[in-house]
Amino acid sequence: YMQDTYSRQKVMQEVYILSKIRHSKIIRLYEVFESYKHFLLVMEYGEGGDLLQLVKKNKKIEEQ
């Protein structure tokens, strides 16, 4: 439950940015559903874990 306007604005800003990004290396946001209690984000499936796990495992990532 986001009680303050500032937190809600930050979440909505992230949703807006994710909805505009179209890149093969970035997980895509497909849809957002909002209810009184929840924000539901429908996103592309990223096989193999998350970015944090990859960085921890490899210690670095090449820019390419």
Side-chain angles (χ1 to χ4, degrees):
Y1 307 99
M2 281 186 267
Q3 300 295 327
D4 62 302
T5 309
Y6 179 77
S7 294
R8 181 174 167 65
Q9 285 176 332
K10 286 298 182 187
V11 168
M12 294 311 291
Q13 183 179 24
E14 284 292 317
V15 166
Y16 175 77
I17 291 168
L18 281 172
S19 71
K20 298 298 178 191
I21 294 175
R22 298 286 187 269
H23 192 278
S24 63
K25 303 292 184 187
I26 299 175
I27 298 285
R28 189 163 173 208
L29 175 68
Y30 290 117
E31 190 72 51
V32 178
F33 299 97
E34 183 181 355
S35 72
Y36 174 72
K37 293 183 178 183
H38 303 95
F39 279 105
L40 302 170
L41 305 176
V42 179
M43 301 179 81
E44 182 177 14
Y45 175 68
E47 187 176 333
D50 61 25
L51 182 60
L52 180 59
Q53 290 173 342
L54 182 66
V55 172
K56 284 181 178 180
K57 179 181 172 186
N58 297 328
K59 303 296 181 203
K60 68 177 184 175
I61 298 176
E62 299 296 326
E63 275 198 46
Q64 297 177 24

